[in-house]
Amino acid sequence: MNFVQLVSTLGFALWCTHGRCEARQSFKNVLVMLGDDVGFETSVYNNTICKTPNLDRLARRSVTIQHGYTSVSSCSPSRSALLSGLPSHQNGMYGLHHSVHHFNAFDGVQSLPVILGKSNIKTGIIGKKHIGPESVYKFDYEQTEYNNNILQCARNVTRMKEFVREFFAMDSRPFFLYIGFNDCHRCPESRYGDFCEKFGNGQPGFGNIPDWKPAYYDPKEVIVPPFLPDTPATRGDISNQYTSMSRLDAGVGMLLDELESHGYLNDTLIIFTADNGIPFPNAKTNLYEAGMGEPYLISSPVETSRWGQVSPSMASTIDILPTVLDWMGVSFPSYSLMGMEVVPSGKSLLPVTRMEPSSPSFGHAFASHNFHEVYMYYPMRVMRNKQYRLLHNLNYRAPYPLATDLYDNPTFLDIMNRTESGQPTKWFKTLDQYYYRDEYELFDLQADPLETTNLAGNSSYGDILAEMKKSLRDWRMATNDYWICYPEGVRYKNQCADIHNAPPNIL
């Protein structure tokens, strides 16, 4: 038995750097990378124009999930769901955390960093956090927008690299590191461009990020997704988005390099996904395919036989907590919220890294949305299976509300201006169709990928509608959804009291 075999057998790994080798204890670590408003603008998902060599590099050592979904297409609720393993209606983070919106998770929520910390696992967050309260989402090491400029801690990949090295140097415990990129969110500081794509590009007045070489794209060459209008305004918008994506990709490369140089690449589970859909019409804050669908890569250093493969399984961001606990060998704690025992509705994704799972849980995904900004009350509950999507729009009598950045952007303003002037919008729906929606929407994604034909009122699909309604209601009951009686009833004790004075239905 040679030395490398010996140290491996004893639970140690041979770590070599700068020409020196040493044996050190081998741990199971986790790196989760979360993109901000990121979609499928990557060659991993067959975008042949937007170049992402580092995501390609990660995909070569990962299983690429073909049907990855967010549990809610809104920033703070999505991050809260990811770290708690609970949908936003269950964990209490109903909308955005910052400023006047002021939403927080329930104080009793047990989040992933807190659970892992109790098992002596080092936890760290670098980049965008955007959730609260602090006591619920407490990490050992934090470099976020709460103690840094968000551009520096979440877009400046060179500064982020310095933070990563600080985190690694803290101690030698196994770790959970959560990276919250701010790319490709739209930019509130307009001098840096619509996607902050000018920040750190090396041009006068914009600073320089040494670890990023900006990629620029001709608007005529970008790929316009079918759910967006193919106009010059949209193409220019996407061109800037692609440049922002190149900075995120540089960050992915930096993190892979740091794992490798510190000897962690071969004992770290890596997950890459995003919080919600891209910041364009029909996507972010919506739960149509463009708003709910996310890139999703999972890389196990142990199960290498599926590296480079694509899985048709369905996965949700709600699955990250059980996946990490499964990898770390840590049990989910026993606790209650609002008088009901908490049981995570997600599943571990580790089986996907070994073989294609046959469990029915890999054949569907649920989503739940209540608010984005505080005035945007439009609760939705969704089930997506391999063929159909069922949306229940609980506030369907009201117009669908717009987030600030989904109104104030070149693509949507062009749609509005064209509508006002009577010009063709080149969009696949009208503004009225976008604003006003049926209570139930049922779409056949195989026959109708743009979700233009609502089948909920078609009697031929009555059995499918009834089955999906039941599955959706069962999930809502299991996750203690306090909107369970809305919009036709009022929750009263253990009943749904009908607001039309019909006899109450027992929950």
Side-chain angles (χ1 to χ4, degrees):
M1 180 180 290
N2 61 33
F3 180 65
V4 175
Q5 291 174 326
L6 175 64
V7 296
S8 177
T9 302
L10 295 177
F12 287 77
L14 188 65
W15 182 36
C16 299
T17 181
H18 305 301
R20 295 174 59 249
C21 295
E22 62 178 303
R24 79 173 186 197
Q25 194 169 358
S26 178
F27 292 120
K28 285 187 173 182
N29 307 303
V30 176
L31 170 65
V32 172
M33 295 181 279
L34 190 69
D36 200 354
D37 297 6
V38 169
F40 300 97
E41 302 73 38
T42 165
S43 43
V44 175
Y45 285 91
N46 300 318
N47 185 312
T48 57
I49 303 299
C50 189
K51 305 301 181 186
T52 53
N54 293 298
L55 280 170
D56 292 350
R57 174 183 164 195
L58 176 59
R60 286 193 293 270
R61 54 180 294 126
S62 301
V63 177
T64 298
I65 305 293
Q66 188 176 10
H67 298 291
Y69 294 101
T70 181
S71 62
V72 49
S73 192
S74 174
C75 181
S76 298
S78 178
R79 293 160 197 270
S80 183
L82 185 158
L83 290 172
S84 69
L86 311 176
S88 61
H89 67 250
Q90 187 177 15
N91 69 48
M93 181 69 76
Y94 302 140
L96 297 183
H97 175 61
H98 70 288
S99 185
V100 67
H101 316 295
H102 200 58
F103 287 102
N104 284 278
F106 295 129
D107 291 338
V109 168
Q110 297 287 305
S111 75
L112 190 51
V114 173
I115 296 170
L116 295 176
K118 292 177 180 178
S119 293
N120 199 33
I121 293 166
K122 178 174 60 174
T123 62
I125 178 172
I126 298 170
K128 185 173 179 178
K129 188 174 185 182
H130 206 197
I131 47 177
E134 182 181 357
S135 60
V136 169
Y137 299 102
K138 181 64 177 174
F139 293 77
D140 296 327
Y141 179 88
E142 301 197 18
Q143 295 291 350
T144 72
E145 71 271 29
Y146 300 123
N147 55 352
N148 294 270
N149 180 295
I150 192 169
L151 294 176
Q152 296 296 337
C153 71
R155 296 196 199 240
N156 183 342
V157 296
T158 299
R159 186 72 177 115
M160 295 172 75
K161 178 172 67 176
E162 296 170 355
F163 292 146
V164 170
R165 291 176 176 177
E166 283 184 2
F167 174 72
F168 285 161
M170 285 175 59
D171 56 55
S172 60
R173 288 178 294 161
F175 65 79
F176 168 71
L177 179 58
Y178 171 88
I179 303 291
F181 292 110
N182 196 205
D183 288 314
C184 301
H185 197 286
R186 291 189 181 272
C187 192
E189 300 189 39
S190 57
R191 73 187 186 94
Y192 290 124
D194 284 315
F195 287 89
C196 286
E197 71 277 2
K198 299 176 183 178
F199 173 71
N201 67 3
Q203 296 179 6
F206 297 126
N208 179 56
I209 299 175
D211 290 281
W212 174 47
K213 183 179 180 180
Y216 299 102
Y217 296 87
D218 185 341
K220 295 179 181 178
E221 297 180 354
V222 303
I223 297 174
V224 180
F227 60 88
L228 293 178
D230 191 347
T231 63
T234 301
R235 286 183 167 274
D237 220 6
I238 293 173
S239 174
N240 294 330
Q241 178 200 26
Y242 281 11
T243 298
S244 173
M245 189 69 184
S246 75
R247 184 170 47 211
L248 179 146
D249 186 70
V252 172
M254 174 273 292
L255 289 160
L256 294 178
D257 289 344
E258 290 302 306
L259 286 178
E260 187 169 25
S261 66
H262 286 82
Y264 294 127
L265 188 60
N266 293 325
D267 57 17
T268 299
L269 181 76
I270 304 172
I271 299 173
F272 174 85
T273 187
D275 59 345
N276 47 246
I278 62 176
F280 286 84
N282 215 65
K284 180 180 177 180
T285 74
N286 288 273
L287 288 175
Y288 298 121
E289 190 73 7
M292 190 172 160
E294 299 296 346
Y296 215 127
L297 306 178
I298 179 167
S299 172
S300 167
V302 176
E303 306 291 346
T304 62
S305 62
R306 294 209 72 190
W307 281 7
Q309 294 185 15
V310 176
S311 169
S313 290
M314 305 186 79
S316 168
T317 51
I318 213 85
D319 298 329
I320 290 178
L321 179 141
T323 302
V324 173
L325 294 183
D326 189 12
W327 173 258
M328 292 289 197
V330 175
S331 299
F332 187 79
S334 175
Y335 74 99
S336 298
L337 287 174
M338 303 297 129
M340 183 173 178
E341 182 183 1
V342 173
V343 179
S345 56
K347 59 194 177 290
S348 171
L349 298 177
L350 292 188
V352 177
T353 67
R354 296 187 285 269
M355 64 181 66
E356 198 54 40
S358 58
S359 168
S361 63
F362 288 89
H364 61 260
F366 294 102
S368 168
H369 180 103
N370 295 304
F371 291 86
H372 183 64
E373 297 176 23
V374 69
Y375 63 87
M376 293 177 61
Y377 182 64
Y378 204 82
M380 297 173 278
R381 302 293 184 264
V382 179
M383 180 183 181
R384 167 72 155 98
N385 62 27
K386 289 294 182 72
Q387 184 168 357
Y388 297 98
R389 166 175 281 106
L390 174 65
L391 297 100
H392 189 188
N393 299 308
L394 304 183
N395 199 20
Y396 68 99
R397 295 181 186 272
Y400 177 78
L402 294 180
T404 304
D405 61 332
L406 297 177
Y407 162 78
D408 186 17
N409 67 73
T411 298
F412 190 75
L413 291 176
D414 186 59
I415 292 172
M416 291 188 64
N417 290 335
R418 286 171 176 265
T419 300
E420 183 69 20
S421 63
Q423 300 178 58
T425 65
K426 301 188 177 182
W427 200 24
F428 77 105
K429 60 176 61 173
T430 67
L431 285 176
D432 275 353
Q433 289 171 333
Y434 188 49
Y435 294 148
Y436 297 98
R437 308 177 182 188
D438 295 328
E439 179 179 3
Y440 285 99
E441 296 179 281
L442 177 67
F443 299 108
D444 182 342
L445 275 296
Q446 294 179 6
D448 179 25
L450 276 181
E451 300 167 299
T452 60
T453 303
N454 183 7
L455 303 174
N458 187 329
S459 59
S460 299
Y461 294 85
D463 290 345
I464 293 170
L465 178 64
E467 182 181 350
M468 294 187 73
K469 276 186 175 182
K470 181 182 183 305
S471 296
L472 184 59
R473 181 177 175 82
D474 289 348
W475 174 74
R476 295 178 66 189
M477 291 294 294
T479 54
N480 203 19
D481 187 352
Y482 267 68
W483 279 260
I484 193 70
C485 301
Y486 192 77
E488 301 301 332
V490 174
R491 185 162 180 152
Y492 179 69
K493 297 182 179 179
N494 199 37
Q495 300 176 335
C496 286
D498 196 304
I499 60 175
H500 299 117
N501 295 320
N505 297 314
I506 303 298
L507 291 177

